Amino acid sequence: MTDNKTATLKVHGETYELPVHSPTAGPDVIDIRKLYGQAGVFTYDPGFTSTASCDSTITYIDGEKGELLHRGYPIDQLAEKSHFLEVCYLLLYGELPAAKDLEKFETTITRHTMLHEQMQYFYRGFRRDAHPMAIMVGVVGAMSAFYHDSTDISDPHQREVASHRLIAKMPTIAAWAFKYHIGQPFVYPRNDLDYASNFLRMCFAVPAEDYEVNPILSRAMDRILTLHADHEQNASTSTVRLASSSGANPFACIAAGVACLWGPAHGGANQACLEMLEEIGTVDRIPEYIARAKDKSDPFRLMGFGHRVYKNFDPRAKVMKQSADEVLDLLGVEDNPKLQVAKELEREALEDPYFAEKKLFPNVDFYSGIILEAMGFPTSMFTPIFALSRTVGWVSQWKEMIADPQNKIGRPRQLYLGETMRDYVDIENR
Ligand code: CMC
């Protein structure tokens, strides 16, 4: 950060000089930390549309260009040339690993994939028809009750162990939420399989017969995980940071992230998008839905379209679209009606002045549901898979925050518009 620039602010006739920090990429940032102390005013920014809540070295997004970099590396290069566990290492430690470091990391993650056996009974407390995300919020939070030896956030070793446990166990937690939901027996992890293949096997194998993981599907799953791994200070990541700012244990903080991700404006959009494509059904009905999305009196929005940061193509959506074509092709699924509707909807929306003016483009969730459905996942599993991939992002951001000496409890201010002080009125006089 360079502090030699300033911004001038005039409030109530007084002038204040505020430091301006220049990032390595992106717009300058006005530092208002001392503003209240000096000028006695707050700033107002619901939804944090103009506020940087932290400094970070992990992920950078240029929304205008449609660029996403992890530790400087573009997401399309990572999706093509790297794989999920290598991207996990990159996010956690800042550099691409040397071969021996990657091998050690993969071994560590693989050795932590099993869940404490007692956790099975915890699952059994849920109703069978519970949404897998509801189960995940509970089970991830419950990890604090099972792994006491990695909850002391002041100990760097415990933080490291908690990070590894979360990344390693999340596929087992998500797969078991699925198995419980559909009434099948839990399938234990297998350490001879790679991360994505192990997850697919835990979801689709049954004890009654052998299950061969299709390497093409495993590669597609790995790519989905890579594309969702981190996305700087989005709602769920900010939730993790805010929860952690009070000193809460890592499992409680990540459970808070899972809860936030569930919403349809965030991680729940992939489920909502597939349901929307299903509801539209045929390409001739697209104009009706585009008209509804544009109608301000109708709450309907095109799911999988628009983004707080991207005002251009979401770079992840481009890779996802290509992946959807490849997976359906390789599975021999010809003329998938949802893919046809998605492609035509994208084309018609991009030609529509409403979407062009508001810079609304397809986001990562527009095509991911089509791939997941083709793999055999029900829509209710889409958001749990997002949660499993985003865990490494949450954990990396959490680790960065805890190690930051400037870390203090998050405590936003407010613009109070309620009643001023008044006397209590006895019930008979109201
Ligand atoms: N369909 C129709 N209109 C839209 C859409 C949409 N999908 N998205 C935004 N708009 C309009 C919105 O009505 C508003 O119009 P106006 O200025 O006339 O009031 C304008 O575009 C700006 O929208 P906003 O809600 O102020 O933008 P935001 O940055 O607060 O919201 C968003 C971003 C992602 C929540 C929103 O675009 C949306 O609801 N999209 C659909 C849900 C979705 O696909 N979410 C996944 C996001 S990517 C994955 C993730 O991060 O989890």
Side-chain angles (χ1 to χ4, degrees), residues 122-135:
F122 188 74
Y123 274 82
R124 292 179 207 280
F126 289 98
R127 281 171 57 139
R128 287 276 178 189
D129 59 356
H131 193 288
M133 277 302 271
I135 300 180

PDB file of all heavy atoms in Angstrom, residues 122-135:
ATOM      1  N   PHE A 122     -25.073 -38.383  14.005  1.00  0.00           N
ATOM      2  CA  PHE A 122     -25.522 -36.998  13.930  1.00  0.00           C
ATOM      3  C   PHE A 122     -26.407 -36.818  12.680  1.00  0.00           C
ATOM      4  O   PHE A 122     -27.471 -36.219  12.741  1.00  0.00           O
ATOM      5  CB  PHE A 122     -24.281 -36.104  13.864  1.00  0.00           C
ATOM      6  CG  PHE A 122     -24.593 -34.656  13.982  1.00  0.00           C
ATOM      7  CD1 PHE A 122     -24.950 -34.103  15.206  1.00  0.00           C
ATOM      8  CD2 PHE A 122     -24.548 -33.826  12.879  1.00  0.00           C
ATOM      9  CE1 PHE A 122     -25.250 -32.768  15.304  1.00  0.00           C
ATOM     10  CE2 PHE A 122     -24.854 -32.498  12.976  1.00  0.00           C
ATOM     11  CZ  PHE A 122     -25.208 -31.957  14.193  1.00  0.00           C
ATOM     12  N   TYR A 123     -25.968 -37.408  11.550  1.00  0.00           N
ATOM     13  CA  TYR A 123     -26.771 -37.342  10.312  1.00  0.00           C
ATOM     14  C   TYR A 123     -28.161 -37.921  10.556  1.00  0.00           C
ATOM     15  O   TYR A 123     -29.165 -37.403  10.092  1.00  0.00           O
ATOM     16  CB  TYR A 123     -26.115 -38.162   9.190  1.00  0.00           C
ATOM     17  CG  TYR A 123     -25.076 -37.419   8.390  1.00  0.00           C
ATOM     18  CD1 TYR A 123     -23.776 -37.288   8.867  1.00  0.00           C
ATOM     19  CD2 TYR A 123     -25.379 -36.860   7.161  1.00  0.00           C
ATOM     20  CE1 TYR A 123     -22.812 -36.623   8.151  1.00  0.00           C
ATOM     21  CE2 TYR A 123     -24.411 -36.190   6.426  1.00  0.00           C
ATOM     22  CZ  TYR A 123     -23.134 -36.077   6.919  1.00  0.00           C
ATOM     23  OH  TYR A 123     -22.187 -35.414   6.205  1.00  0.00           O
ATOM     24  N   ARG A 124     -28.195 -39.018  11.288  1.00  0.00           N
ATOM     25  CA  ARG A 124     -29.458 -39.744  11.450  1.00  0.00           C
ATOM     26  C   ARG A 124     -30.494 -38.946  12.235  1.00  0.00           C
ATOM     27  O   ARG A 124     -31.656 -39.317  12.256  1.00  0.00           O
ATOM     28  CB  ARG A 124     -29.206 -41.099  12.112  1.00  0.00           C
ATOM     29  CG  ARG A 124     -28.430 -42.039  11.195  1.00  0.00           C
ATOM     30  CD  ARG A 124     -28.164 -43.377  11.862  1.00  0.00           C
ATOM     31  NE  ARG A 124     -26.961 -43.992  11.324  1.00  0.00           N
ATOM     32  CZ  ARG A 124     -26.899 -44.661  10.181  1.00  0.00           C
ATOM     33  NH1 ARG A 124     -27.957 -44.809   9.453  1.00  0.00           N
ATOM     34  NH2 ARG A 124     -25.755 -45.173   9.760  1.00  0.00           N
ATOM     35  N   GLY A 125     -30.092 -37.856  12.833  1.00  0.00           N
ATOM     36  CA  GLY A 125     -31.050 -37.009  13.545  1.00  0.00           C
ATOM     37  C   GLY A 125     -31.881 -36.145  12.605  1.00  0.00           C
ATOM     38  O   GLY A 125     -32.897 -35.572  13.005  1.00  0.00           O
ATOM     39  N   PHE A 126     -31.436 -36.029  11.356  1.00  0.00           N
ATOM     40  CA  PHE A 126     -32.192 -35.185  10.406  1.00  0.00           C
ATOM     41  C   PHE A 126     -33.338 -35.965   9.769  1.00  0.00           C
ATOM     42  O   PHE A 126     -33.269 -37.192   9.629  1.00  0.00           O
ATOM     43  CB  PHE A 126     -31.268 -34.693   9.279  1.00  0.00           C
ATOM     44  CG  PHE A 126     -30.261 -33.672   9.730  1.00  0.00           C
ATOM     45  CD1 PHE A 126     -28.963 -34.040  10.032  1.00  0.00           C
ATOM     46  CD2 PHE A 126     -30.617 -32.336   9.851  1.00  0.00           C
ATOM     47  CE1 PHE A 126     -28.024 -33.110  10.449  1.00  0.00           C
ATOM     48  CE2 PHE A 126     -29.689 -31.395  10.268  1.00  0.00           C
ATOM     49  CZ  PHE A 126     -28.391 -31.782  10.567  1.00  0.00           C
ATOM     50  N   ARG A 127     -34.375 -35.242   9.347  1.00  0.00           N
ATOM     51  CA  ARG A 127     -35.416 -35.881   8.541  1.00  0.00           C
ATOM     52  C   ARG A 127     -34.809 -36.290   7.206  1.00  0.00           C
ATOM     53  O   ARG A 127     -33.933 -35.619   6.692  1.00  0.00           O
ATOM     54  CB  ARG A 127     -36.540 -34.855   8.266  1.00  0.00           C
ATOM     55  CG  ARG A 127     -37.486 -34.650   9.412  1.00  0.00           C
ATOM     56  CD  ARG A 127     -38.410 -33.486   9.132  1.00  0.00           C
ATOM     57  NE  ARG A 127     -39.175 -33.633   7.902  1.00  0.00           N
ATOM     58  CZ  ARG A 127     -40.467 -33.313   7.768  1.00  0.00           C
ATOM     59  NH1 ARG A 127     -41.130 -32.824   8.797  1.00  0.00           N
ATOM     60  NH2 ARG A 127     -41.086 -33.437   6.624  1.00  0.00           N
ATOM     61  N   ARG A 128     -35.296 -37.374   6.630  1.00  0.00           N
ATOM     62  CA  ARG A 128     -34.762 -37.846   5.342  1.00  0.00           C
ATOM     63  C   ARG A 128     -35.025 -36.847   4.215  1.00  0.00           C
ATOM     64  O   ARG A 128     -34.279 -36.798   3.243  1.00  0.00           O
ATOM     65  CB  ARG A 128     -35.401 -39.179   4.956  1.00  0.00           C
ATOM     66  CG  ARG A 128     -34.915 -40.343   5.777  1.00  0.00           C
ATOM     67  CD  ARG A 128     -33.608 -40.917   5.240  1.00  0.00           C
ATOM     68  NE  ARG A 128     -33.159 -42.008   6.096  1.00  0.00           N
ATOM     69  CZ  ARG A 128     -31.978 -42.600   5.995  1.00  0.00           C
ATOM     70  NH1 ARG A 128     -31.112 -42.207   5.092  1.00  0.00           N
ATOM     71  NH2 ARG A 128     -31.650 -43.572   6.805  1.00  0.00           N
ATOM     72  N   ASP A 129     -36.112 -36.068   4.340  1.00  0.00           N
ATOM     73  CA  ASP A 129     -36.419 -35.136   3.253  1.00  0.00           C
ATOM     74  C   ASP A 129     -35.753 -33.771   3.457  1.00  0.00           C
ATOM     75  O   ASP A 129     -36.080 -32.810   2.773  1.00  0.00           O
ATOM     76  CB  ASP A 129     -37.941 -34.974   3.078  1.00  0.00           C
ATOM     77  CG  ASP A 129     -38.633 -34.456   4.342  1.00  0.00           C
ATOM     78  OD1 ASP A 129     -37.941 -34.293   5.366  1.00  0.00           O
ATOM     79  OD2 ASP A 129     -39.849 -34.217   4.288  1.00  0.00           O
ATOM     80  N   ALA A 130     -34.810 -33.698   4.389  1.00  0.00           N
ATOM     81  CA  ALA A 130     -34.110 -32.423   4.606  1.00  0.00           C
ATOM     82  C   ALA A 130     -33.300 -32.063   3.364  1.00  0.00           C
ATOM     83  O   ALA A 130     -32.724 -32.947   2.707  1.00  0.00           O
ATOM     84  CB  ALA A 130     -33.180 -32.548   5.802  1.00  0.00           C
ATOM     85  N   HIS A 131     -33.232 -30.766   3.038  1.00  0.00           N
ATOM     86  CA  HIS A 131     -32.380 -30.329   1.925  1.00  0.00           C
ATOM     87  C   HIS A 131     -30.923 -30.595   2.314  1.00  0.00           C
ATOM     88  O   HIS A 131     -30.537 -30.333   3.458  1.00  0.00           O
ATOM     89  CB  HIS A 131     -32.607 -28.825   1.675  1.00  0.00           C
ATOM     90  CG  HIS A 131     -32.022 -28.347   0.377  1.00  0.00           C
ATOM     91  ND1 HIS A 131     -30.661 -28.224   0.178  1.00  0.00           N
ATOM     92  CD2 HIS A 131     -32.607 -27.980  -0.794  1.00  0.00           C
ATOM     93  CE1 HIS A 131     -30.438 -27.796  -1.064  1.00  0.00           C
ATOM     94  NE2 HIS A 131     -31.602 -27.637  -1.669  1.00  0.00           N
ATOM     95  N   PRO A 132     -30.100 -31.122   1.380  1.00  0.00           N
ATOM     96  CA  PRO A 132     -28.704 -31.413   1.745  1.00  0.00           C
ATOM     97  C   PRO A 132     -27.956 -30.186   2.282  1.00  0.00           C
ATOM     98  O   PRO A 132     -27.037 -30.335   3.097  1.00  0.00           O
ATOM     99  CB  PRO A 132     -28.075 -31.897   0.437  1.00  0.00           C
ATOM    100  CG  PRO A 132     -29.202 -32.318  -0.428  1.00  0.00           C
ATOM    101  CD  PRO A 132     -30.419 -31.568   0.003  1.00  0.00           C
ATOM    102  N   MET A 133     -28.354 -28.983   1.867  1.00  0.00           N
ATOM    103  CA  MET A 133     -27.682 -27.792   2.413  1.00  0.00           C
ATOM    104  C   MET A 133     -28.019 -27.616   3.899  1.00  0.00           C
ATOM    105  O   MET A 133     -27.188 -27.146   4.676  1.00  0.00           O
ATOM    106  CB  MET A 133     -28.085 -26.527   1.648  1.00  0.00           C
ATOM    107  CG  MET A 133     -27.310 -26.301   0.375  1.00  0.00           C
ATOM    108  SD  MET A 133     -25.525 -26.183   0.607  1.00  0.00           S
ATOM    109  CE  MET A 133     -25.312 -24.447   0.915  1.00  0.00           C
ATOM    110  N   ALA A 134     -29.263 -27.976   4.280  1.00  0.00           N
ATOM    111  CA  ALA A 134     -29.651 -27.862   5.688  1.00  0.00           C
ATOM    112  C   ALA A 134     -28.789 -28.810   6.521  1.00  0.00           C
ATOM    113  O   ALA A 134     -28.311 -28.465   7.601  1.00  0.00           O
ATOM    114  CB  ALA A 134     -31.131 -28.201   5.846  1.00  0.00           C
ATOM    115  N   ILE A 135     -28.562 -30.002   5.969  1.00  0.00           N
ATOM    116  CA  ILE A 135     -27.725 -30.985   6.672  1.00  0.00           C
ATOM    117  C   ILE A 135     -26.283 -30.471   6.744  1.00  0.00           C
ATOM    118  O   ILE A 135     -25.627 -30.552   7.784  1.00  0.00           O
ATOM    119  CB  ILE A 135     -27.790 -32.364   5.964  1.00  0.00           C
ATOM    120  CG1 ILE A 135     -29.245 -32.874   5.938  1.00  0.00           C
ATOM    121  CG2 ILE A 135     -26.868 -33.366   6.645  1.00  0.00           C
ATOM    122  CD1 ILE A 135     -29.439 -34.223   5.270  1.00  0.00           C
TER     123      ILE A 135
END
